[in-house]
Amino acid sequence: MIVQPWVLLERTLAGSAGGVDLHSHSTHSDGHWSPTALVEDMSRQGITVCALTDHDTVSGLPEALAAAGEWEVAPVTGAELSLSLGKRLFHILCYDVDPAAPMWAGFARLRAERQAIYTRALLDELRRRGHSPNEQAAIGPDGEFVANAAAIALHAGGAAPTVEDAGRLLRSVVPVRPVELLYVDVERLCAILPPGFGVWVVGHPARQQAQVSDRLTEADLAGLRTALPIVGLEAHHPYHSPADVASYTAMAARHGLLVTCGSDAHGWRVNRPPISYSPSLCAGFLQFILERQRVAT
Ligand SMILES: [Zn+2]
Ligand SMILES: [Zn+2]
């Protein structure tokens, strides 16, 4: 008999089903498994509530939803958005969304704008270093840069015999790419968000890594909350030390926010597997999602 996802969510919350993993990636971003293979893997590890949260896209969600039905896992839809607040960078998880919502087309346009800015910066850097990329060759019929634009422009400019060689040359000439330019400004996102859209959680708030994410401060949280209705912090994450977990659990409590847990699974090959967290670690969040789903049905 097929168990309804919200029933499974309810059972998980009550402690009579399995574990929870609210953060994972598939081949739709930088994960190493298809959404189907990921959900199957999670199910085999006893996870009964899972979320696929690919970077800046919801394109894997329809497949993940179908697989969740097959493997009797309650899916929470989601995505992990790369957002900037001034010069500060954050990965913000957005849950319980309709992948077909028009907001995602709007977000894709914001990302395309950032992609063009990033590509221009990369081409400028190549010129500064004495190369002559052919920019026109990397522009598609829609007037936008094509994927892998910088390598294509280098190749078309005669710097390398193939696009693959141009890619290698690019990596040696510009070893540190300006990937921070790809982050969408949180205010720009706020401007296209319909009221009540999504359930917003700051991903891995303790993670400090150049060009990826900044460790969340009280001031950052206040700034993010002026634009986004943040409801939680991902206090439980494999990169967090026990002190980080305690610190962000306390920050969540101070601000009346919920706590979530996610493995940030990318694949066994990269030694980043799913983690079956105890539902008690994120009971408030699961209850919040359950109530939203009950209202929606
Ligand atoms: Zn992240
Ligand atoms: Zn992630």
Side-chain angles (χ1 to χ4, degrees), residues 23 25 55 80 91 203-204 207 212-213 237 264:
H23 186 161
H25 297 274
H55 292 288
E80 181 178 22
H91 285 186
H204 44 69
R207 186 176 179 189
V212 176
S213 81
H237 184 280
D264 213 345

Side-chain angles (χ1 to χ4, degrees), residues 245-268:
V245 174
S247 164
Y248 285 99
T249 300
M251 185 190 271
R254 277 198 302 281
H255 294 278
L257 299 174
L258 303 167
V259 160
T260 70
C261 40
S263 67
D264 213 345
H266 280 68
W268 291 94

Side-chain angles (χ1 to χ4, degrees), residues 33-118:
W33 37 33
S34 67
T36 303
L38 170 68
V39 170
E40 177 183 343
D41 200 304
M42 286 186 164
S43 173
R44 288 188 191 283
Q45 288 183 67
I47 291 165
T48 47
V49 175
C50 78
L52 173 63
T53 52
D54 273 313
H55 292 288
D56 303 301
T57 182
V58 289
S59 61
L61 290 179
E63 185 184 325
L65 289 170
E70 205 174 313
W71 286 93
E72 292 206 351
V73 177
V76 179
T77 53
E80 181 178 22
L81 308 187
S82 301
L83 301 178
S84 60
L85 175 73
K87 289 201 178 309
R88 309 274 291 165
L89 308 179
F90 300 98
H91 285 186
I92 309 289
L93 297 155
C94 175
Y95 291 109
D96 201 21
V97 291
D98 176 0
M103 199 298 282
W104 294 114
F107 182 71
R109 280 192 294 277
L110 294 179
R111 278 286 296 183
E113 276 176 29
R114 299 309 313 175
Q115 187 77 44
I117 289 166
Y118 165 81

Side-chain angles (χ1 to χ4, degrees), residues 123-134:
L123 294 175
D124 285 347
E125 186 61 23
L126 285 168
R127 290 187 192 103
R128 262 197 297 278
R129 290 168 189 252
H131 291 275
S132 306
N134 179 343

Side-chain angles (χ1 to χ4, degrees), residues 10 23 121-122 186 210 251 270:
E10 203 167 43
H23 186 161
L122 208 48
V186 72
M251 185 190 271
V270 285

Side-chain angles (χ1 to χ4, degrees), residues 207-239:
R207 186 176 179 189
Q208 177 65 49
Q209 188 178 342
Q211 298 187 290
V212 176
S213 81
D214 286 296
R215 188 180 172 97
L216 185 77
T217 65
E218 289 280 349
D220 294 327
L221 180 60
L224 288 170
R225 292 181 87 182
T226 62
L228 289 175
I230 303 282
V231 303
L233 305 180
E234 189 184 45
H236 300 273
H237 184 280
Y239 292 177

